[in-house]
Amino acid sequence: MLTMIFACDLQNAIGKDGDLPWRQSTDLQHFKKITLGGTIVMGRKTWESLPGKLPERRHLVMTRSNRDDIETTTFEEVIKLSMEQNVFVIGGGEIYSLFLPHIEKIYRTIIHCNVEQPDTFAPEIDEYMFSVVETKFVEKSDKDQYDMTFEVLVKMN
Protein backbone atom coordinates (compact mmCIF):
# COMPACT_ATOMS: atom_id res chain seq x y z
CA MET A 1 0.00 0.00 0.00
CA LEU A 2 1.16 3.52 -0.77
CA THR A 3 0.74 5.86 2.20
CA MET A 4 1.45 9.57 2.47
CA ILE A 5 2.48 11.29 5.71
CA PHE A 6 2.96 15.01 6.27
CA ALA A 7 2.39 17.94 8.60
CA CYS A 8 0.95 21.20 7.29
CA ASP A 9 -0.19 24.50 8.70
CA LEU A 10 -3.78 25.79 8.48
CA GLN A 11 -3.14 26.91 4.87
CA ASN A 12 -1.49 23.66 3.70
CA ALA A 13 2.12 24.92 3.95
CA ILE A 14 4.70 22.23 4.71
CA GLY A 15 8.01 24.02 4.28
CA LYS A 16 10.01 27.21 4.30
CA ASP A 17 13.63 27.70 3.26
CA GLY A 18 14.21 23.95 2.84
CA ASP A 19 13.06 23.02 6.34
CA LEU A 20 10.03 22.44 8.50
CA PRO A 21 8.67 25.83 9.61
CA TRP A 22 7.98 24.68 13.19
CA ARG A 23 9.39 22.57 15.99
CA GLN A 24 6.88 19.90 16.98
CA SER A 25 8.40 17.08 19.02
CA THR A 26 5.00 15.41 19.44
CA ASP A 27 4.50 15.27 15.66
CA LEU A 28 8.01 13.87 15.13
CA GLN A 29 7.23 11.09 17.61
CA HIS A 30 3.94 10.44 15.77
CA PHE A 31 5.87 10.24 12.47
CA LYS A 32 8.37 7.83 13.99
CA LYS A 33 5.66 5.57 15.43
CA ILE A 34 3.90 5.30 12.05
CA THR A 35 6.96 4.82 9.82
CA LEU A 36 9.20 2.69 12.08
CA GLY A 37 10.20 -0.55 10.37
CA GLY A 38 8.86 0.64 7.01
CA THR A 39 10.16 2.00 3.74
CA ILE A 40 10.16 5.78 3.33
CA VAL A 41 10.33 7.51 -0.05
CA MET A 42 11.39 11.11 -0.48
CA GLY A 43 12.87 13.60 -2.90
CA ARG A 44 16.47 14.76 -2.78
CA LYS A 45 15.67 18.02 -0.96
CA THR A 46 13.80 16.17 1.78
CA TRP A 47 16.71 13.74 2.10
CA GLU A 48 19.14 16.63 2.46
CA SER A 49 16.95 18.27 5.13
CA LEU A 50 17.15 15.18 7.37
CA PRO A 51 19.84 14.95 10.06
CA GLY A 52 20.87 11.61 8.54
CA LYS A 53 19.28 8.22 8.10
CA LEU A 54 16.28 7.71 10.35
CA PRO A 55 16.74 4.56 12.45
CA GLU A 56 15.01 1.29 11.53
CA ARG A 57 13.62 2.46 8.17
CA ARG A 58 14.62 1.79 4.58
CA HIS A 59 15.30 5.07 2.78
CA LEU A 60 14.57 5.49 -0.94
CA VAL A 61 15.40 8.81 -2.58
CA MET A 62 14.02 10.00 -5.90
CA THR A 63 16.67 12.06 -7.65
CA ARG A 64 17.85 12.80 -11.17
CA SER A 65 21.51 12.64 -10.15
CA ASN A 66 23.67 9.57 -9.59
CA ARG A 67 24.32 9.02 -5.90
CA ASP A 68 26.47 6.43 -4.17
CA ASP A 69 25.67 7.54 -0.63
CA ILE A 70 21.94 6.66 -0.71
CA GLU A 71 19.57 4.15 -2.28
CA THR A 72 17.81 5.85 -5.18
CA THR A 73 14.59 4.85 -6.89
CA THR A 74 12.13 5.75 -9.64
CA PHE A 75 8.40 6.38 -9.63
CA GLU A 76 7.75 3.02 -11.29
CA GLU A 77 9.88 1.14 -8.75
CA VAL A 78 7.99 2.76 -5.86
CA ILE A 79 4.61 1.84 -7.36
CA LYS A 80 5.76 -1.76 -7.84
CA LEU A 81 7.19 -1.97 -4.31
CA SER A 82 3.93 -0.59 -2.84
CA MET A 83 2.11 -3.63 -4.23
CA GLU A 84 4.28 -5.86 -2.02
CA GLN A 85 4.62 -3.76 1.14
CA ASN A 86 3.57 -0.55 2.86
CA VAL A 87 5.57 2.38 1.48
CA PHE A 88 5.46 5.84 3.08
CA VAL A 89 5.83 8.93 0.90
CA ILE A 90 7.38 11.58 3.17
CA GLY A 91 7.97 14.55 0.86
CA GLY A 92 8.53 17.06 -0.40
CA GLY A 93 5.83 18.93 -2.24
CA GLU A 94 6.62 17.68 -5.76
CA ILE A 95 6.89 14.07 -4.60
CA TYR A 96 3.55 14.30 -2.78
CA SER A 97 1.84 15.66 -5.91
CA LEU A 98 3.44 12.98 -8.10
CA PHE A 99 2.17 10.11 -5.94
CA LEU A 100 -1.20 11.51 -4.79
CA PRO A 101 -3.27 9.72 -7.49
CA HIS A 102 -1.86 6.38 -6.23
CA ILE A 103 -2.14 7.01 -2.48
CA GLU A 104 -4.49 4.79 -0.44
CA LYS A 105 -4.01 6.35 3.00
CA ILE A 106 -2.87 9.72 4.33
CA TYR A 107 -1.57 10.61 7.77
CA ARG A 108 -1.94 14.39 8.01
CA THR A 109 -0.96 16.49 10.99
CA ILE A 110 -2.48 19.95 10.96
CA ILE A 111 -0.25 22.33 12.88
CA HIS A 112 -2.40 25.12 14.31
CA CYS A 113 -0.46 28.05 12.87
CA ASN A 114 -0.03 30.09 9.69
CA VAL A 115 3.51 30.07 8.33
CA GLU A 116 4.73 33.43 7.03
CA GLN A 117 6.03 33.22 3.45
CA PRO A 118 6.09 29.43 3.05
CA ASP A 119 7.64 28.03 -0.12
CA THR A 120 6.39 24.44 -0.13
CA PHE A 121 2.84 23.12 0.10
CA ALA A 122 1.12 19.78 0.47
CA PRO A 123 -1.14 18.83 -2.43
CA GLU A 124 -4.81 19.72 -2.10
CA ILE A 125 -6.70 16.64 -0.87
CA ASP A 126 -9.94 16.10 -2.78
CA GLU A 127 -12.70 15.54 -0.21
CA TYR A 128 -14.55 13.41 -2.77
CA MET A 129 -11.56 11.05 -3.10
CA PHE A 130 -10.50 10.82 0.55
CA SER A 131 -12.47 10.57 3.74
CA VAL A 132 -11.24 11.50 7.23
CA VAL A 133 -11.65 8.35 9.34
CA GLU A 134 -9.75 9.48 12.45
CA THR A 135 -9.10 12.85 14.02
CA LYS A 136 -7.41 13.70 17.31
CA PHE A 137 -6.68 17.16 18.68
CA VAL A 138 -3.44 17.34 20.71
CA GLU A 139 -2.46 20.31 22.86
CA LYS A 140 1.14 21.44 22.51
CA SER A 141 3.65 20.04 24.97
CA ASP A 142 6.66 21.87 26.36
CA LYS A 143 8.60 20.66 23.28
CA ASP A 144 6.04 21.91 20.72
CA GLN A 145 5.43 25.37 19.33
CA TYR A 146 1.75 24.83 18.48
CA ASP A 147 -1.31 22.69 19.10
CA MET A 148 -1.97 20.09 16.39
CA THR A 149 -4.59 17.74 15.02
CA PHE A 150 -3.69 14.25 13.83
CA GLU A 151 -5.85 12.94 10.98
CA VAL A 152 -6.06 9.70 9.06
CA LEU A 153 -7.66 9.82 5.61
CA VAL A 154 -8.45 6.86 3.38
CA LYS A 155 -9.23 6.71 -0.31
CA MET A 156 -12.87 6.06 -1.01
CA ASN A 157 -13.68 3.32 -3.52
Side-chain angles (χ1 to χ4, degrees):
M1 175 167 46
L2 201 53
T3 301
M4 183 181 292
I5 184 168
F6 65 89
C8 63
D9 76 352
L10 296 169
Q11 298 177 341
N12 222 28
I14 61 171
K16 180 177 179 176
D17 301 326
D19 201 1
L20 294 174
W22 45 70
R23 294 294 168 247
Q24 296 289 119
S25 180
T26 303
D27 182 54
L28 293 176
Q29 291 303 313
H30 178 71
F31 174 90
K32 180 179 180 179
K33 179 182 170 189
I34 291 167
T35 62
L36 206 61
T39 298
I40 54 176
V41 174
M42 69 206 85
R44 177 192 52 81
K45 291 177 191 173
T46 298
W47 164 251
E48 290 174 352
S49 75
L50 295 178
K53 279 195 166 187
L54 303 176
E56 299 180 54
R57 281 158 274 203
R58 179 181 180 196
H59 295 65
L60 297 175
V61 179
M62 296 183 67
T63 179
R64 292 178 190 92
S65 58
N66 292 327
R67 305 279 301 251
D68 293 330
D69 59 330
I70 51 174
E71 188 176 358
T72 60
T73 191
T74 65
F75 175 82
E76 292 78 15
E77 290 169 341
V78 172
I79 295 298
K80 184 178 177 186
L81 186 62
S82 72
M83 293 177 191
E84 303 164 4
Q85 62 179 270
N86 200 9
V87 176
F88 297 95
V89 177
I90 70 163
E94 292 176 33
I95 301 299
Y96 288 136
S97 294
L98 179 66
F99 283 105
L100 184 60
H102 305 277
I103 296 293
E104 296 293 322
K105 187 179 209 177
I106 300 171
Y107 289 93
R108 174 171 62 186
T109 303
I110 300 171
I111 309 296
H112 295 248
C113 71
N114 289 305
V115 174
E116 288 186 33
Q117 299 180 315
D119 54 27
T120 311
F121 294 86
E124 292 294 326
I125 307 299
D126 186 337
E127 64 186 46
Y128 296 107
M129 286 187 64
F130 289 90
S131 176
V132 176
V133 295
E134 271 181 55
T135 185
K136 180 183 177 187
F137 174 80
V138 178
E139 286 189 24
K140 68 179 181 174
S141 74
D142 294 344
K143 296 181 180 180
D144 299 318
Q145 287 180 287
Y146 307 102
D147 294 339
M148 66 209 91
T149 301
F150 296 129
E151 295 182 332
V152 179
L153 299 88
V154 295
K155 189 177 244 177
M156 295 185 280
N157 292 329

